[in-house]
Amino acid sequence: MSNHAIEITGLRKTYAGQKGAPPKEALKGVDLTIPAGSIFGLLGPNGAGKSTLINILAGLVTKTAGQVRIWGFDQDINPRQSRAAIGVMPQELNMDPFFTPRGALDVQAGLYGVPKSQRRTDQILEMIGLSDKADAYARTLSGGMRRRLLLGKALVHRPHVLVLDEPTAGVDIELRQMLWANVRKLNEQGMTIILTTHYLEEAEEMCDEIAIINHGAVVVRDKTSALLGRLDAKTLVLRLDAPLAHLTLPDGVTQEIRADGRLALTYRRSQVSAGALLAAVANAGGVVVDVTSEEPDLQDVFLSLTTGPGQAA
Ligand SMILES: Nc1ncnc2c1ncn2[C@@H]1O[C@H](COP(=O)(O)OP(=O)(O)O)[C@@H](O)[C@H]1O
Ligand SMILES: [Mg+2]
């Protein structure tokens, strides 16, 4: 196979309109490749089409057009192999309350045709921290435990690719950390991870590469570091020994006095150097006591890409 865990071309999905509503075009021709071995973030606001894309990968939603290859297997030509290559932790908590965690994992393994001798139920229970709840009825589990069980279910057939759809939406810090620790460990063992989120910090912290999706289309896809580097704006924050009477700055630089009295100079890295700003301050008689610089974060990139041209930061 190629070194792509996932290759998506021209993917479209139009949901039929319900009760007289017009059809909804949720994916408008998505092309996306996801490298094997990465932790890949699919980022976008609510309604962007993230779950639709994930559910198509998982075989839960039928695509309208396009091609999907998972671990080299075309979904239409090799449905079994492509399905076996991927495990999905869904966004929705849909769980049969009559199963125990052990039972749920066994049923799932059975669905994927994992022979009894190759099941690793106890290992998974331990990983998701449910060993002591292994035989408790699912309806007695807390929301967090049910989510952990969903993660366990996604892992029973040792998929190459693990997909987590908004795994941390509304979960507590402890569960979040437990999830991320598991995700990192699985990734170190070679598993490709795809996660959707609308939490920017999360994508920034966890993902090697990110695609931002909005209104059913990928608006950008890049390495996380490169995405952050896309924004040219940078701010130099100076503490001076005394306020300046008269500061002449290069064109395009904006200045602001912060509430703490520091002088903030925002400039474009491609046009102005920090040295030129410091020189301007020195020329005005300013003595710099302390200096820090601020880089754009993903929030800025995200806003600049999802609010359309003209409003870019
Ligand atoms: N089963 C469905 N029937 C009709 N429209 C749907 C269905 N599922 C999702 N949609 C619509 O498709 C769009 C994308 O939804 P979704 O993929 O869930 O976005 P996200 O996961 O990014 O929040 C939304 O406008 C949503 O209302
Ligand atoms: Mg969703």
Side-chain angles (χ1 to χ4, degrees):
M1 64 157 262
S2 66
N3 55 356
H4 292 135
I6 305 281
E7 295 171 81
I8 294 170
T9 11
L11 187 61
R12 293 181 176 276
K13 174 64 189 181
T14 304
Y15 290 106
Q18 284 149 355
K19 297 182 195 140
K24 171 73 200 178
E25 198 181 9
L27 295 176
K28 301 172 181 171
V30 168
D31 297 321
L32 188 63
T33 56
I34 297 177
S38 62
I39 301 184
F40 192 93
L42 198 59
L43 192 64
N46 276 329
K50 304 181 297 295
S51 291
T52 299
L53 194 150
I54 295 306
N55 290 336
I56 290 172
L57 292 181
L60 300 171
V61 165
T62 317
K63 62 187 179 257
T64 304
Q67 274 159 3
V68 173
R69 289 169 77 84
I70 301 171
W71 213 248
F73 296 109
D74 187 297
Q75 208 176 37
D76 299 322
I77 300 168
N78 301 104
R80 272 168 45 107
Q81 288 95 326
S82 77
R83 216 169 80 87
I86 195 167
V88 177
M89 178 181 169
Q91 182 172 4
E92 306 295 334
L93 272 180
N94 50 350
M95 187 155 293
D96 192 327
F98 301 108
F99 286 116
T100 63
R102 186 188 301 284
L105 292 175
D106 268 334
V107 166
Q108 185 80 358
L111 284 175
Y112 277 92
V114 182
K116 283 226 158 62
S117 62
Q118 286 173 32
R119 293 187 191 173
R120 31 181 208 138
T121 310
D122 288 319
Q123 195 190 329
I124 292 175
L125 284 167
E126 168 138 22
M127 171 176 204
I128 57 178
L130 287 182
S131 297
D132 57 342
K133 291 279 181 184
D135 301 306
Y137 281 101
R139 65 170 178 274
T140 68
L141 302 180
S142 69
M145 291 173 181
R146 290 179 195 206
R147 283 205 168 243
R148 274 140 62 187
L149 184 51
L150 286 179
L151 172 64
K153 284 175 72 178
L155 294 170
V156 293
H157 57 296
R158 298 173 189 254
H160 292 293
V161 184
L162 173 67
V163 184
L164 307 130
D165 194 0
E166 308 245 10
T168 58
V171 310
D172 61 33
I173 292 179
E174 207 178 327
L175 176 55
R176 197 183 117 118
Q177 285 171 346
M178 181 262 183
L179 273 170
W180 290 153
N182 275 330
V183 159
R184 288 215 164 90
K185 194 162 74 189
L186 290 164
N187 181 249
E188 276 159 23
Q189 291 165 5
M191 199 176 279
T192 304
I193 312 283
I194 303 170
L195 64 96
T196 79
T197 178
H198 57 267
Y199 296 123
L200 301 153
E201 320 80 63
E202 196 159 280
E204 203 172 321
E205 180 192 331
M206 289 296 298
C207 302
D208 314 316
E209 300 193 36
I210 290 175
I212 296 179
I213 175 168
N214 197 25
H215 299 304
V218 173
V219 287
V220 70
R221 175 208 185 288
D222 214 332
K223 293 207 188 320
T224 309
S225 55
L227 259 185
L228 293 172
R230 266 175 194 241
L231 275 197
D232 199 21
K234 193 164 173 172
T235 302
L236 207 61
V237 186
L238 306 171
R239 185 176 295 289
L240 304 176
D241 70 338
L244 292 179
H246 224 69
L247 176 61
T248 313
L249 290 165
D251 281 352
V253 180
T254 57
Q255 58 170 312
E256 175 206 355
I257 307 288
R258 296 257 169 104
D260 61 6
R262 291 186 301 166
L263 173 67
L265 303 175
T266 300
Y267 62 105
R268 298 210 164 266
R269 271 178 287 196
S270 58
Q271 288 164 15
V272 179
S273 72
L277 297 179
L278 291 172
V281 169
N283 277 340
V287 176
V288 176
V289 180
D290 184 41
V291 55
T292 55
S293 72
E294 294 171 0
E295 310 260 347
D297 64 11
L298 210 48
Q299 174 87 34
D300 304 310
V301 181
F302 187 65
L303 284 175
S304 78
L305 288 163
T306 53
T307 52
Q311 294 172 53

